[in-house]
mmCIF file of all heavy atoms in Angstrom:
data_model
loop_
_atom_site.group_PDB
_atom_site.id
_atom_site.type_symbol
_atom_site.label_atom_id
_atom_site.label_comp_id
_atom_site.label_asym_id
_atom_site.label_seq_id
_atom_site.Cartn_x
_atom_site.Cartn_y
_atom_site.Cartn_z
ATOM 1 N N ALA A 1 -138.712 47.893 226.859
ATOM 2 C CA ALA A 1 -140.052 47.978 226.348
ATOM 3 C C ALA A 1 -140.997 48.910 227.167
ATOM 4 O O ALA A 1 -142.207 48.842 227.096
ATOM 5 C CB ALA A 1 -140.688 46.558 226.208
ATOM 6 N N HIS A 2 -140.429 49.787 227.982
ATOM 7 C CA HIS A 2 -141.238 50.786 228.700
ATOM 8 C C HIS A 2 -141.578 51.907 227.771
ATOM 9 O O HIS A 2 -140.729 52.543 227.221
ATOM 10 C CB HIS A 2 -140.459 51.289 229.929
ATOM 11 C CG HIS A 2 -141.108 52.426 230.630
ATOM 12 N ND1 HIS A 2 -142.202 52.270 231.471
ATOM 13 C CD2 HIS A 2 -140.876 53.780 230.602
ATOM 14 C CE1 HIS A 2 -142.613 53.443 231.911
ATOM 15 N NE2 HIS A 2 -141.800 54.338 231.392
ATOM 16 N N PRO A 3 -142.885 52.194 227.520
ATOM 17 C CA PRO A 3 -143.238 53.247 226.588
ATOM 18 C C PRO A 3 -142.852 54.600 227.179
ATOM 19 O O PRO A 3 -143.056 54.857 228.361
ATOM 20 C CB PRO A 3 -144.760 53.182 226.460
ATOM 21 C CG PRO A 3 -145.254 52.360 227.638
ATOM 22 C CD PRO A 3 -144.035 51.493 228.081
ATOM 23 N N VAL A 4 -142.315 55.450 226.338
ATOM 24 C CA VAL A 4 -141.881 56.800 226.797
ATOM 25 C C VAL A 4 -142.713 57.892 226.159
ATOM 26 O O VAL A 4 -143.101 58.837 226.763
ATOM 27 C CB VAL A 4 -140.345 56.949 226.463
ATOM 28 C CG1 VAL A 4 -139.863 58.402 226.834
ATOM 29 C CG2 VAL A 4 -139.513 55.958 227.173
ATOM 30 N N PHE A 5 -142.873 57.773 224.810
ATOM 31 C CA PHE A 5 -143.495 58.888 224.000
ATOM 32 C C PHE A 5 -144.183 58.278 222.827
ATOM 33 O O PHE A 5 -143.631 57.334 222.226
ATOM 34 C CB PHE A 5 -142.265 59.770 223.569
ATOM 35 C CG PHE A 5 -142.661 61.184 223.143
ATOM 36 C CD1 PHE A 5 -142.933 62.130 224.081
ATOM 37 C CD2 PHE A 5 -142.782 61.502 221.889
ATOM 38 C CE1 PHE A 5 -143.252 63.399 223.750
ATOM 39 C CE2 PHE A 5 -143.083 62.791 221.415
ATOM 40 C CZ PHE A 5 -143.318 63.727 222.402
ATOM 41 N N LEU A 6 -145.380 58.791 222.509
ATOM 42 C CA LEU A 6 -146.105 58.316 221.344
ATOM 43 C C LEU A 6 -146.335 59.537 220.453
ATOM 44 O O LEU A 6 -146.679 60.583 220.892
ATOM 45 C CB LEU A 6 -147.476 57.743 221.766
ATOM 46 C CG LEU A 6 -147.399 56.635 222.778
ATOM 47 C CD1 LEU A 6 -148.864 56.251 223.204
ATOM 48 C CD2 LEU A 6 -146.731 55.389 222.236
ATOM 49 N N VAL A 7 -146.251 59.309 219.115
ATOM 50 C CA VAL A 7 -146.619 60.333 218.165
ATOM 51 C C VAL A 7 -147.630 59.671 217.236
ATOM 52 O O VAL A 7 -147.322 58.724 216.503
ATOM 53 C CB VAL A 7 -145.348 60.769 217.300
ATOM 54 C CG1 VAL A 7 -145.744 61.833 216.300
ATOM 55 C CG2 VAL A 7 -144.236 61.185 218.182
ATOM 56 N N ASP A 8 -148.843 60.166 217.328
ATOM 57 C CA ASP A 8 -149.946 59.627 216.489
ATOM 58 C C ASP A 8 -150.341 60.600 215.432
ATOM 59 O O ASP A 8 -150.416 61.835 215.659
ATOM 60 C CB ASP A 8 -151.172 59.354 217.406
ATOM 61 C CG ASP A 8 -150.875 58.249 218.340
ATOM 62 O OD1 ASP A 8 -150.339 57.201 217.935
ATOM 63 O OD2 ASP A 8 -151.233 58.396 219.573
ATOM 64 N N VAL A 9 -150.723 60.078 214.261
ATOM 65 C CA VAL A 9 -151.234 60.892 213.212
ATOM 66 C C VAL A 9 -152.706 60.621 213.064
ATOM 67 O O VAL A 9 -153.134 59.489 212.854
ATOM 68 C CB VAL A 9 -150.562 60.509 211.826
ATOM 69 C CG1 VAL A 9 -151.133 61.392 210.719
ATOM 70 C CG2 VAL A 9 -149.012 60.703 211.905
ATOM 71 N N VAL A 10 -153.494 61.708 213.345
ATOM 72 C CA VAL A 10 -154.965 61.592 213.358
ATOM 73 C C VAL A 10 -155.485 62.650 212.431
ATOM 74 O O VAL A 10 -155.317 63.867 212.673
ATOM 75 C CB VAL A 10 -155.556 61.715 214.716
ATOM 76 C CG1 VAL A 10 -157.078 61.688 214.696
ATOM 77 C CG2 VAL A 10 -154.980 60.659 215.683
ATOM 78 N N ASP A 11 -156.134 62.241 211.309
ATOM 79 C CA ASP A 11 -156.734 63.176 210.360
ATOM 80 C C ASP A 11 -155.708 64.276 209.893
ATOM 81 O O ASP A 11 -155.988 65.409 209.814
ATOM 82 C CB ASP A 11 -157.988 63.912 210.910
ATOM 83 C CG ASP A 11 -159.125 62.980 211.173
ATOM 84 O OD1 ASP A 11 -159.218 61.958 210.469
ATOM 85 O OD2 ASP A 11 -159.896 63.275 212.081
ATOM 86 N N GLY A 12 -154.486 63.801 209.678
ATOM 87 C CA GLY A 12 -153.400 64.650 209.205
ATOM 88 C C GLY A 12 -152.771 65.483 210.230
ATOM 89 O O GLY A 12 -151.851 66.285 209.965
ATOM 90 N N GLN A 13 -153.197 65.350 211.489
ATOM 91 C CA GLN A 13 -152.674 66.156 212.617
ATOM 92 C C GLN A 13 -151.678 65.277 213.433
ATOM 93 O O GLN A 13 -151.946 64.076 213.583
ATOM 94 C CB GLN A 13 -153.757 66.666 213.543
ATOM 95 C CG GLN A 13 -154.726 67.622 212.809
ATOM 96 C CD GLN A 13 -154.061 68.963 212.417
ATOM 97 O OE1 GLN A 13 -153.274 69.480 213.158
ATOM 98 N NE2 GLN A 13 -154.456 69.438 211.230
ATOM 99 N N ILE A 14 -150.632 65.849 213.932
ATOM 100 C CA ILE A 14 -149.630 65.173 214.740
ATOM 101 C C ILE A 14 -150.066 65.372 216.233
ATOM 102 O O ILE A 14 -150.172 66.505 216.725
ATOM 103 C CB ILE A 14 -148.235 65.665 214.556
ATOM 104 C CG1 ILE A 14 -147.855 65.509 213.088
ATOM 105 C CG2 ILE A 14 -147.271 64.991 215.439
ATOM 106 C CD1 ILE A 14 -147.683 64.139 212.572
ATOM 107 N N LEU A 15 -150.290 64.245 216.951
ATOM 108 C CA LEU A 15 -150.620 64.318 218.402
ATOM 109 C C LEU A 15 -149.528 63.640 219.164
ATOM 110 O O LEU A 15 -149.190 62.473 218.819
ATOM 111 C CB LEU A 15 -151.984 63.614 218.669
ATOM 112 C CG LEU A 15 -153.180 64.183 217.874
ATOM 113 C CD1 LEU A 15 -154.417 63.290 218.045
ATOM 114 C CD2 LEU A 15 -153.471 65.635 218.279
ATOM 115 N N VAL A 16 -148.992 64.278 220.143
ATOM 116 C CA VAL A 16 -147.942 63.621 220.943
ATOM 117 C C VAL A 16 -148.389 63.334 222.344
ATOM 118 O O VAL A 16 -149.155 64.109 222.927
ATOM 119 C CB VAL A 16 -146.679 64.530 220.973
ATOM 120 C CG1 VAL A 16 -146.093 64.684 219.543
ATOM 121 C CG2 VAL A 16 -146.999 65.913 221.538
ATOM 122 N N THR A 17 -147.849 62.287 222.884
ATOM 123 C CA THR A 17 -148.215 61.855 224.238
ATOM 124 C C THR A 17 -146.943 61.478 225.007
ATOM 125 O O THR A 17 -146.173 60.632 224.557
ATOM 126 C CB THR A 17 -149.156 60.638 224.291
ATOM 127 O OG1 THR A 17 -150.312 60.926 223.475
ATOM 128 C CG2 THR A 17 -149.558 60.249 225.639
ATOM 129 N N ASP A 18 -146.714 62.197 226.109
ATOM 130 C CA ASP A 18 -145.578 61.843 226.981
ATOM 131 C C ASP A 18 -146.201 60.807 227.947
ATOM 132 O O ASP A 18 -147.035 61.106 228.830
ATOM 133 C CB ASP A 18 -145.170 63.112 227.753
ATOM 134 C CG ASP A 18 -144.017 62.815 228.658
ATOM 135 O OD1 ASP A 18 -143.965 61.715 229.307
ATOM 136 O OD2 ASP A 18 -143.172 63.701 228.838
ATOM 137 N N CYS A 19 -145.794 59.566 227.833
ATOM 138 C CA CYS A 19 -146.352 58.465 228.564
ATOM 139 C C CYS A 19 -146.190 58.650 230.063
ATOM 140 O O CYS A 19 -147.102 58.278 230.878
ATOM 141 C CB CYS A 19 -145.828 57.111 228.097
ATOM 142 S SG CYS A 19 -146.260 56.806 226.380
ATOM 143 N N ASP A 20 -145.068 59.104 230.469
ATOM 144 C CA ASP A 20 -144.784 59.220 231.975
ATOM 145 C C ASP A 20 -145.700 60.317 232.559
ATOM 146 O O ASP A 20 -146.310 60.164 233.649
ATOM 147 C CB ASP A 20 -143.379 59.554 232.286
ATOM 148 C CG ASP A 20 -142.449 58.404 231.998
ATOM 149 O OD1 ASP A 20 -142.899 57.271 232.042
ATOM 150 O OD2 ASP A 20 -141.220 58.696 231.650
ATOM 151 N N MET A 21 -145.880 61.436 231.872
ATOM 152 C CA MET A 21 -146.765 62.464 232.333
ATOM 153 C C MET A 21 -148.226 62.001 232.304
ATOM 154 O O MET A 21 -148.985 62.305 233.247
ATOM 155 C CB MET A 21 -146.652 63.732 231.454
ATOM 156 C CG MET A 21 -145.295 64.481 231.743
ATOM 157 S SD MET A 21 -145.175 65.961 230.785
ATOM 158 C CE MET A 21 -146.388 67.019 231.571
ATOM 159 N N GLN A 22 -148.620 61.231 231.283
ATOM 160 C CA GLN A 22 -149.975 60.721 231.240
ATOM 161 C C GLN A 22 -150.267 59.752 232.376
ATOM 162 O O GLN A 22 -151.306 59.800 233.045
ATOM 163 C CB GLN A 22 -150.225 60.023 229.961
ATOM 164 C CG GLN A 22 -151.637 59.528 229.704
ATOM 165 C CD GLN A 22 -151.744 58.852 228.390
ATOM 166 O OE1 GLN A 22 -150.947 58.011 227.986
ATOM 167 N NE2 GLN A 22 -152.855 59.117 227.672
ATOM 168 N N GLN A 23 -149.265 58.915 232.719
ATOM 169 C CA GLN A 23 -149.462 57.993 233.806
ATOM 170 C C GLN A 23 -149.526 58.703 235.131
ATOM 171 O O GLN A 23 -150.347 58.379 236.012
ATOM 172 C CB GLN A 23 -148.268 56.972 233.798
ATOM 173 C CG GLN A 23 -148.465 55.873 234.940
ATOM 174 C CD GLN A 23 -149.659 55.039 234.703
ATOM 175 O OE1 GLN A 23 -149.895 54.571 233.623
ATOM 176 N NE2 GLN A 23 -150.422 54.773 235.740
ATOM 177 N N ALA A 24 -148.738 59.753 235.350
ATOM 178 C CA ALA A 24 -148.753 60.540 236.570
ATOM 179 C C ALA A 24 -150.088 61.225 236.772
ATOM 180 O O ALA A 24 -150.666 61.240 237.896
ATOM 181 C CB ALA A 24 -147.642 61.556 236.596
ATOM 182 N N ALA A 25 -150.673 61.731 235.661
ATOM 183 C CA ALA A 25 -151.968 62.369 235.722
ATOM 184 C C ALA A 25 -153.085 61.369 236.038
ATOM 185 O O ALA A 25 -153.973 61.690 236.838
ATOM 186 C CB ALA A 25 -152.288 63.076 234.385
ATOM 187 N N TRP A 26 -152.971 60.183 235.488
ATOM 188 C CA TRP A 26 -153.954 59.123 235.775
ATOM 189 C C TRP A 26 -153.829 58.720 237.268
ATOM 190 O O TRP A 26 -154.885 58.561 237.898
ATOM 191 C CB TRP A 26 -153.705 57.953 234.846
ATOM 192 C CG TRP A 26 -154.628 56.754 235.166
ATOM 193 C CD1 TRP A 26 -154.261 55.592 235.740
ATOM 194 C CD2 TRP A 26 -155.967 56.735 234.904
ATOM 195 N NE1 TRP A 26 -155.404 54.835 235.865
ATOM 196 C CE2 TRP A 26 -156.479 55.460 235.348
ATOM 197 C CE3 TRP A 26 -156.983 57.551 234.327
ATOM 198 C CZ2 TRP A 26 -157.796 55.072 235.287
ATOM 199 C CZ3 TRP A 26 -158.234 57.191 234.209
ATOM 200 C CH2 TRP A 26 -158.643 55.949 234.682
ATOM 201 N N ASP A 27 -152.624 58.529 237.745
ATOM 202 C CA ASP A 27 -152.470 58.098 239.130
ATOM 203 C C ASP A 27 -153.017 59.212 240.047
ATOM 204 O O ASP A 27 -153.648 58.870 241.056
ATOM 205 C CB ASP A 27 -150.944 57.926 239.462
ATOM 206 C CG ASP A 27 -150.406 56.716 238.742
ATOM 207 O OD1 ASP A 27 -151.184 55.832 238.281
ATOM 208 O OD2 ASP A 27 -149.129 56.565 238.711
ATOM 209 N N GLN A 28 -152.834 60.411 239.761
ATOM 210 C CA GLN A 28 -153.354 61.541 240.585
ATOM 211 C C GLN A 28 -154.932 61.530 240.533
ATOM 212 O O GLN A 28 -155.567 61.666 241.577
ATOM 213 C CB GLN A 28 -152.813 62.875 240.143
ATOM 214 C CG GLN A 28 -153.357 63.975 241.001
ATOM 215 C CD GLN A 28 -152.750 65.341 240.507
ATOM 216 O OE1 GLN A 28 -152.041 65.441 239.531
ATOM 217 N NE2 GLN A 28 -153.138 66.414 241.256
ATOM 218 N N PHE A 29 -155.470 61.280 239.347
ATOM 219 C CA PHE A 29 -156.910 61.237 239.258
ATOM 220 C C PHE A 29 -157.486 60.087 240.080
ATOM 221 O O PHE A 29 -158.522 60.273 240.789
ATOM 222 C CB PHE A 29 -157.266 61.030 237.738
ATOM 223 C CG PHE A 29 -158.796 60.714 237.545
ATOM 224 C CD1 PHE A 29 -159.714 61.728 237.651
ATOM 225 C CD2 PHE A 29 -159.190 59.433 237.353
ATOM 226 C CE1 PHE A 29 -161.050 61.449 237.358
ATOM 227 C CE2 PHE A 29 -160.539 59.105 237.147
ATOM 228 C CZ PHE A 29 -161.454 60.172 237.168
ATOM 229 N N ILE A 30 -156.899 58.930 240.034
ATOM 230 C CA ILE A 30 -157.297 57.766 240.820
ATOM 231 C C ILE A 30 -157.231 58.088 242.308
ATOM 232 O O ILE A 30 -158.095 57.731 243.052
ATOM 233 C CB ILE A 30 -156.547 56.505 240.441
ATOM 234 C CG1 ILE A 30 -156.822 56.118 239.001
ATOM 235 C CG2 ILE A 30 -156.845 55.341 241.374
ATOM 236 C CD1 ILE A 30 -158.284 55.763 238.710
ATOM 237 N N GLU A 31 -156.073 58.667 242.729
ATOM 238 C CA GLU A 31 -155.857 58.989 244.122
ATOM 239 C C GLU A 31 -156.904 60.010 244.621
ATOM 240 O O GLU A 31 -157.455 59.783 245.705
ATOM 241 C CB GLU A 31 -154.484 59.623 244.285
ATOM 242 C CG GLU A 31 -153.990 59.780 245.666
ATOM 243 C CD GLU A 31 -152.556 60.272 245.672
ATOM 244 O OE1 GLU A 31 -151.685 59.494 245.256
ATOM 245 O OE2 GLU A 31 -152.387 61.391 246.131
ATOM 246 N N GLU A 32 -157.258 60.991 243.848
ATOM 247 C CA GLU A 32 -158.311 61.937 244.274
ATOM 248 C C GLU A 32 -159.687 61.305 244.242
ATOM 249 O O GLU A 32 -160.436 61.623 245.141
ATOM 250 C CB GLU A 32 -158.275 63.156 243.309
ATOM 251 C CG GLU A 32 -157.035 64.061 243.469
ATOM 252 C CD GLU A 32 -156.944 65.155 242.433
ATOM 253 O OE1 GLU A 32 -157.862 65.259 241.608
ATOM 254 O OE2 GLU A 32 -155.940 65.836 242.475
ATOM 255 N N ASP A 33 -159.877 60.434 243.282
ATOM 256 C CA ASP A 33 -161.240 59.736 243.236
ATOM 257 C C ASP A 33 -161.400 58.841 244.400
ATOM 258 O O ASP A 33 -162.482 58.694 244.958
ATOM 259 C CB ASP A 33 -161.316 58.924 241.970
ATOM 260 C CG ASP A 33 -162.681 58.400 241.695
ATOM 261 O OD1 ASP A 33 -163.639 59.215 241.777
ATOM 262 O OD2 ASP A 33 -162.858 57.210 241.398
ATOM 263 N N ASP A 34 -160.337 58.235 244.929
ATOM 264 C CA ASP A 34 -160.397 57.359 246.140
ATOM 265 C C ASP A 34 -160.746 58.124 247.371
ATOM 266 O O ASP A 34 -161.271 57.583 248.331
ATOM 267 C CB ASP A 34 -159.051 56.599 246.299
ATOM 268 C CG ASP A 34 -158.942 55.519 245.302
ATOM 269 O OD1 ASP A 34 -159.851 55.161 244.606
ATOM 270 O OD2 ASP A 34 -157.764 55.043 245.116
#
């Protein structure tokens, strides 16, 4: 149940999210903010 990849349909457009890359970017943001 670990999320890997999301494909969302928004207004007819396909948006993809790599969950591991998103988490890494968030962790870096928090680290820099600290």
